């Protein structure tokens, strides 16, 4: 019943109010504000109704607390977490720069590149963004001047300097926070090596089994043509040479030989403190124990004396090679976790097998030379996925754009292919390996049919590109040095050198170093992918490898791509965007051989 309050100065008004409360049963003993007594309260509270009510309330509170705790725990586990940065080793982070030492830089004007030359150019290499160098063999060799004809892995050939020069170089590399990898040739030695000189005497207990000797021969051909067996008149037996006649194959089945090789590895990695070794020609290590003849390949136009006349099922890529890699890895792991890489021809699957079947059982990097012909978006996709799909903690991809054993990049591909391909290879997950001179677009030597890829480094537009060839210059210099040289490209906006340097810098961003990789739009022309890492800027790399322009909505290809992004890098001004321009990714047009990298602020994924 509504109560009408009036002035309390009038007693009638109070009575009126009391009357009203009395009607509601709230007044007793004349005091409207008096509560229940203790006994009365206990009597009421012990009634079943109130007991049940209390128990229900307590149960509700307990259930609510429990639900709250469960919700919090569930959220902690279910909500997408910021990922930790994986611990990466230097060989995963750094761009590797492969140097053919004879052709790189000559410190004493004798026409031969040397160790001091490499030392003097470390700043150049670091400026380009490479953190590791890999050197061609620099060991004592015989007079043939073939760097792979090693007489002693523990001595330096005078052409390249002294052991002290190597020590100085290694120290300088480390002082600059860089790494150095040396070649190691376990398959063969020079025929002037003391081991072979000893082995020519069948009565020499120590060395008689150090090489592959036989009284009968197979049809195996050497890499350089003709039989891979050579009669030695001193021992009156044939020795095997998969390469040149004066490069006899070591008998890898001999435990004594393997121990010698391990000893050299330990010397280089422990005593000299090199950071890693490149096991050269590692696919040739073992040959068939039963000495079976190889089958004819039926390759058109190849004569019987040529290497390719036969398939090489018994002399190349034998399973035992992998076991040896595993043993070498043990040596590397036991010497302050040093690094190993190896070369193996064949399919991607065969190359990947060199990583071993479980972590630590193979090499750190099985080289992936990009030897393909120019190909379109889907072709690139297949090639990239072949590697990226197969990598895990113990299989790290690499993208080797050049090396001694393959035609130079600028000769393999049309000139306008370089930038799109470097944009790809340097921003994918994996280690880029750049061959000296490729960063300025050097081409194959035309003056010679052999060693076309080891032309002198073109430093400047002066006589012989800066080399003193008064006496003789190793292998000569390409005639295009007047336009293709380091001096013309360093610090020159728009040069290939500066382009590659920019990519080296970009790939140090967390998204590229630690981030996930997802393909975005792919088509017969386009290959594109996203690199992203929790909490940092994400990137889309989109490249047109085809012959036709294409416009795509990239936002629909991957959830985190923002419709408005910012241009970070392009393959050139023809792409139509400058750095920091806004780019509409819902309608991005790329013409043939154009590429662009765009970024956006990180956007967390929704639950
Ligand atoms: Ca020199
Ligand atoms: Ca061999």
């Amino acid at each position: 019943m509504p109560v009408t309050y009036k002035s309390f100065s009038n007693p009638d008004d109070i009575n009126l109010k009391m009357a009203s409360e009395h009607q509601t049963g709230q007044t007793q003993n004349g005091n409207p504000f008096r509560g229940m007594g203790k006994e009365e309260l206990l009597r009421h509270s012990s009634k079943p109704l109130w007991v049940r009510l209390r128990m229900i309330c307590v149960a509700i509170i307990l259930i609510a607390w429990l639900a709250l705790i469960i919700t919090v725990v569930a959220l902690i586990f279910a909500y997408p977490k910021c990922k930790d940065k994986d611990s990466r080793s230097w060989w995963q982070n750094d761009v590797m720069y492969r140097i053919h030492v004879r052709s790189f830089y000559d410190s004493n004007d004798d026409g031969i590149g040397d160790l001091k030359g490499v030392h003097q150019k470390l700043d150049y290499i670091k400026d380009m963004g490479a953190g590791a160098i890999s050197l061609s063999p620099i060991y004592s060799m015989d007079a043939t001047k073939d760097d792979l004809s090693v007489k002693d892995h523990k001595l330096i050939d005078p052409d390249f300097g002294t052991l002290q020069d190597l020590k100085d170089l290694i120290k300088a590399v480390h002082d600059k926070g860089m790494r150095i990898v040396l070649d190691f040739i376990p398959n063969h030695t020079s025929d002037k090596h003391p081991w072979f000189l000893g082995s020519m005497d069948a009565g020499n207990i120590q060395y008689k089994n150090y090489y592959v000797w036989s009284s009968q021969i197979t049809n195996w051909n050497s890499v350089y043509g003709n039989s891979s067996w050579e009669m030695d008149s001193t021992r009156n037996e044939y020795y095997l040479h998969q390469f040149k006649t004066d490069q006899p194959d070591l008998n890898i089945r001999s435990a004594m030989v393997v121990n010698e090789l391990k000893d050299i590895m330990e010397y280089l990695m422990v005593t000299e403190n090199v950071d890693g070794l490149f096991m050269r020609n590692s696919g040739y290590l073992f040959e068939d124990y039963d000495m079976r003849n190889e089958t004819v390949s039926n390759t058109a136009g190849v004569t019987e004396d040529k290497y390719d006349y036969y398939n090489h099922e018994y002399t190349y890529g034998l399973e035992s090679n992998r076991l040896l890699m595993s043993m070498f890895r043990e040596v590397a792991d036991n010497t302050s976790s040093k690094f190993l890489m190896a070369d193996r021809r064949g399919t991607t699957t065969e190359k990947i097998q060199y990583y071993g079947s479980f972590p630590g059982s193979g090499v750190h990097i099985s080289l992936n030379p990009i030897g393909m012909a120019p190909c379109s978006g889907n072709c690139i996709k297949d090639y990239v996925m072949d590697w990226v799909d197969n990598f895990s903690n113990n299989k790290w991809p690499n993208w080797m754009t050049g090396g001694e054993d393959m035609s130079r990049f600028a000769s393999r591909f049309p000139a306008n292919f370089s930038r799109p391909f470097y944009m790809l290879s340097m921003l994918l997950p994996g280690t880029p390996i750049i061959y000296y001179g490729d960063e300025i677009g050097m081409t194959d030597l035309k003056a010679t049919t052999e060693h076309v890829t080891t032309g002198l480094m073109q430093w400047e537009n002066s006589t012989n590109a800066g080399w003193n060839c008064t006496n003789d210059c190793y292998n000569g210099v390409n005639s295009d040095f007047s336009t293709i040289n380091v001096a013309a490209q360093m610090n020159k906006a728009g040069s290939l050198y500066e382009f590659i340097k920019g990519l080296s810098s970009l790939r140090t961003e967390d998204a590229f170093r630690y981030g996930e990789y997802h393909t975005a739009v792919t088509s017969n022309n386009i290959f594109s992918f996203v690199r992203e890492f929790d909490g940092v800027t994400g990137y889309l790399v989109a490249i047109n490898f085809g012959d036709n322009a294409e416009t795509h909505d990239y936002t629909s290809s991957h959830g985190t791509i923002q419709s408005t992004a910012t241009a970070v890098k392009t393959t050139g001004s023809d792409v139509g965007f400058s750095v920091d321009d806004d780019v509409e990714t819902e309608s991005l047009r790329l013409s043939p051989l154009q590429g662009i990298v765009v970024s956006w602020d990180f956007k967390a994924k929704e639950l």
Side-chain angles (χ1 to χ4, degrees):
M1 179 178 181
V3 174
T4 304
Y5 287 92
K6 294 184 179 178
S7 168
F8 283 85
S9 60
N10 185 343
D12 291 341
D13 292 339
I14 296 173
N15 289 338
L16 181 63
K17 183 183 178 198
M18 285 180 176
S20 168
E21 290 180 346
H22 183 71
Q23 289 173 5
T24 64
Q26 294 179 20
T27 58
Q28 291 179 34
N29 301 326
N31 186 346
F33 303 111
R34 177 185 170 274
M36 286 185 282
K38 185 178 176 185
E39 294 80 12
E40 191 178 1
L41 196 60
L42 286 173
R43 193 174 67 246
H44 279 290
S45 68
S46 59
K47 286 180 180 173
L49 170 67
W50 294 108
V51 170
R52 276 198 297 275
L53 270 176
R54 282 201 305 276
M55 291 186 72
I56 289 170
C57 286
V58 168
I60 288 173
I61 290 168
L62 284 176
I63 289 169
W65 268 106
L66 196 60
L68 186 66
I69 290 168
I70 290 171
T71 305
V72 168
V73 170
L75 279 174
I76 289 171
F77 282 101
Y79 200 78
K81 291 178 267 303
C82 281
K83 287 185 179 165
D84 291 332
K85 293 174 182 175
D86 293 338
S87 58
R88 293 269 192 253
S89 300
W90 63 266
W91 49 272
Q92 295 170 306
N93 287 334
D94 291 341
V95 173
M96 190 176 287
Y97 189 70
R98 170 73 182 172
I99 297 172
H100 189 75
V101 179
R102 281 184 185 278
S103 315
F104 189 60
Y105 190 68
D106 177 14
S107 69
N108 60 352
D109 268 358
D110 64 356
I112 303 170
D114 44 53
L115 288 168
K116 277 186 176 166
V118 176
H119 190 150
Q120 290 170 18
K121 290 297 181 183
L122 284 180
D123 286 338
Y124 165 80
I125 297 163
K126 191 173 182 183
D127 179 76
M128 194 196 72
I133 55 174
S134 157
L135 303 187
S136 62
I138 38 118
Y139 310 109
S140 170
M141 71 196 75
D142 65 30
T144 62
K145 301 291 184 191
D146 184 320
D147 299 345
L148 293 161
S149 292
V150 176
K151 276 200 306 188
D152 192 334
H153 264 104
K154 296 183 181 178
L155 293 175
I156 304 301
D157 194 88
D159 278 356
F160 303 121
T162 64
L163 191 56
Q164 189 58 48
D165 292 343
L166 176 65
K167 291 176 189 288
D168 293 344
L169 173 62
I170 292 169
K171 183 174 186 310
V173 164
H174 292 160
D175 285 349
K176 290 178 187 296
M178 299 170 72
R179 308 288 177 156
I180 181 169
V181 176
L182 295 185
D183 279 13
F184 179 55
I185 304 109
N187 180 65
H188 59 261
T189 67
S190 158
D191 64 354
K192 310 296 186 301
H193 196 294
W195 297 345
F196 189 75
L197 298 177
S199 194
M200 287 161 71
D201 175 6
N204 187 318
I205 305 285
Q206 171 74 27
Y207 295 117
K208 66 176 182 179
N209 289 325
Y210 266 43
Y211 294 82
V212 183
W213 293 98
S214 176
S215 56
Q216 52 191 2
I217 63 173
T218 58
N219 68 353
W220 303 344
N221 276 349
S222 82
V223 171
Y224 291 94
N226 296 313
S227 174
S228 57
W229 295 102
E230 185 75 11
M231 169 57 72
D232 176 63
S233 55
T234 310
R235 178 155 164 163
N236 201 27
E237 273 190 306
Y238 295 96
Y239 66 86
L240 179 75
H241 60 92
Q242 288 231 51
F243 290 85
K244 294 177 178 171
T245 311
D246 57 3
Q247 295 173 333
D249 274 45
L250 285 163
N251 177 17
I252 304 293
R253 296 183 193 281
S254 159
M256 292 170 74
V257 169
V258 171
N259 285 336
E260 295 272 16
L261 296 174
K262 287 180 175 177
D263 174 64
I264 294 167
M265 289 177 68
E266 285 173 359
Y267 166 76
L268 293 170
M269 296 193 288
V270 178
T271 308
E272 299 305 340
N273 198 23
V274 302
D275 299 289
L277 296 175
F278 170 17
M279 321 304 278
R280 287 286 297 272
N281 300 325
S282 57
Y284 298 89
L285 288 164
F286 282 91
E287 293 81 21
D288 183 37
Y289 183 79
D290 295 325
M291 302 258 300
R292 284 171 282 188
N293 282 330
E294 293 187 318
T295 55
V296 176
S297 70
N298 293 317
T299 306
V302 176
T303 53
E304 198 171 347
D305 59 327
K306 296 291 188 289
Y307 184 68
D308 289 341
Y309 185 78
Y310 297 104
N311 297 311
H312 302 293
E313 63 268 47
Y314 299 128
T315 56
Y316 191 85
L318 270 63
E319 181 71 12
S320 313
N321 295 340
R322 286 172 53 196
L323 301 177
L324 197 63
M325 290 301 123
S326 179
M327 291 172 68
F328 287 159
R329 174 65 183 265
E330 264 182 52
V331 178
D333 283 350
N334 291 337
T335 50
S336 308
S337 299
K338 300 288 184 170
F339 163 80
L340 284 188
M341 66 179 184
D343 54 350
R344 193 249 193 262
R345 290 197 321 267
T347 63
T348 304
T349 304
E350 288 169 331
K351 289 180 181 129
I352 286 176
Q353 285 172 349
Y354 259 42
Y355 287 97
S357 47
F358 55 89
S361 63
V363 297
H364 298 85
I365 281 184
S366 177
L367 288 171
N368 169 28
I370 302 169
M372 66 169 76
C375 69
S376 61
N378 280 328
C379 162
I380 296 280
K381 178 188 173 191
D382 291 344
Y383 172 72
V384 169
M385 296 313 288
D386 234 14
W387 276 85
V388 173
D389 278 355
N390 279 304
F391 89 83
S392 58
N393 287 338
N394 67 322
K395 296 182 176 71
W396 182 252
N398 67 97
W399 314 100
M400 181 186 185
T401 44
E404 289 96 322
D405 298 331
M406 58 203 292
S407 193
R408 275 194 179 274
F409 192 92
S411 294
R412 283 203 314 283
F413 294 104
N416 54 357
F417 208 87
S418 290
R419 292 175 196 231
F421 215 98
Y422 281 113
M423 182 176 274
L424 173 79
S425 63
M426 295 186 74
L427 299 181
L428 284 170
T431 302
I433 301 168
I434 296 177
Y435 188 48
Y436 84 97
D438 279 359
E439 73 274 23
I440 55 170
M442 274 172 60
T443 55
D444 286 348
L445 281 177
K446 297 170 185 66
T448 175
T449 54
E450 197 180 355
H451 308 308
V452 295
T453 61
T454 52
L456 300 180
M457 182 69 172
Q458 296 165 199
W459 290 106
E460 57 193 43
N461 180 20
S462 63
T463 308
N464 294 315
W467 289 75
N468 180 358
C469 297
T470 308
N471 299 318
D472 191 16
C473 260
Y474 169 75
N475 223 4
V477 62
N478 214 330
S479 57
D480 58 12
F481 71 83
S482 59
T483 52
I484 298 174
N485 63 70
V486 172
Q489 294 198 25
M490 270 190 87
N491 304 315
K492 299 288 164 44
S495 69
L496 180 60
Y497 174 89
E498 291 297 328
F499 179 75
I500 288 176
K501 179 179 172 179
L503 288 171
S504 297
S505 171
L506 184 56
R507 74 186 300 283
T508 63
E509 295 290 325
D510 283 352
F512 291 106
R513 181 162 288 180
Y514 307 105
E516 293 181 5
Y517 161 88
H518 306 278
T519 51
V521 170
T522 59
S523 73
N524 200 37
N525 291 305
I526 301 289
F527 181 72
S528 67
F529 56 94
V530 168
R531 301 298 311 273
E532 58 187 359
F533 187 71
D534 286 355
V536 300
T537 302
Y539 294 88
L540 165 71
V541 181
I543 307 169
N544 186 340
F545 287 100
D547 298 325
N548 301 303
E550 279 189 12
T551 303
H552 287 280
D553 173 7
Y554 288 80
T555 59
S556 59
S557 64
H558 185 69
T560 54
I561 299 175
Q562 302 298 290
S563 55
T564 300
T566 306
V568 175
K569 194 160 185 65
T570 71
T571 48
S573 56
D574 59 330
V575 178
F577 295 101
S578 299
V579 170
D580 293 334
D581 279 357
D582 283 346
V583 177
E584 300 302 322
T585 56
E586 287 174 328
S587 175
L588 175 56
R589 182 180 191 276
L590 288 172
S591 292
L593 300 175
Q594 288 185 343
I596 189 167
V597 183
V598 300
S599 71
W600 55 85
D601 287 337
F602 173 77
K603 187 180 179 187
K605 289 176 189 168
E606 308 223 340
L607 275 173

